Amino acid sequence: MTGAKAEISLHPGLRYLPGRLSRQEQEELVEIIRGVVAEAPLYVPAMPGSGRPMSVRMTNCGPLGWVTDKERGYRYQPIHPVTGKPWPDISEVLLDLWRELSGHQKDPEACLVNFYADDAKMGLHQDRDETDFSAPVLSISLGNTCLFRIGGLQRTDRTKSLKLESGDVFLLGGEGRLCFHGVDRIYPDTSTLLKAGGRINLTLRRVNP
Ligand code: SIN
Ligand code: FE2
């Protein structure tokens, strides 16, 4: 891929792979996620303390899933907070992508599935609930384009904004593993992948050393 997108300079350890997934690969992932959601329904996560609902709906696959609620806050756990059942397995398709791109020996333990309706967003944060930061977080965008904001290691560092499109992959690894990031907005009607609109973001994470 050439052009302005590839030229954005990012914090060391960050990798932006625009158009990494073909349309066919994206469609295959949507089918896989449909299967995950059938077994482990999307739920509304709540902020620690305030209990304020997030606008993004979530589920997971893998031995561990990232969850949050008012009482117990951010954490990983092996069961769905609503159904109490173990999370479904991570598909081989996703494991293959991780093995190819992560540069990490061990497989991911969690795949967080974020579903953004066209009016959803996610505030600036670090992914720091893992006990091992040596593996990257591998992020996959599907469906409508979003405005993604990526900063540095301090909340107050300057940020850059880029549009993540369906099929783009983004890695936060190495020195960039703890960079602040968030999603400012979704652009409706920018993809035909998801018939009902919105955006799906998948993040593959290694939790334990
Ligand atoms: C996340 O930080 O968990 C999600 C990022 C994204 O939706 O691109
Ligand atoms: Fe994150």
Side-chain angles (χ1 to χ4, degrees), residues 112 114 116 122 125 127 139 148 164 181 183 199 201 205:
L112 173 62
N114 289 321
Y116 296 77
M122 188 180 288
H125 67 278
D127 289 1
S139 158
F148 182 70
L164 293 182
H181 59 280
V183 171
R199 170 177 183 261
N201 169 259
R205 296 127 181 267

Side-chain angles (χ1 to χ4, degrees), residues 163-185:
K163 288 183 178 174
L164 293 182
E165 294 178 10
S166 196
D168 290 357
V169 169
F170 196 94
L171 288 121
L172 294 101
E175 291 175 57
R177 174 62 181 74
L178 292 174
C179 280
F180 278 85
H181 59 280
V183 171
D184 288 336
R185 62 165 298 191

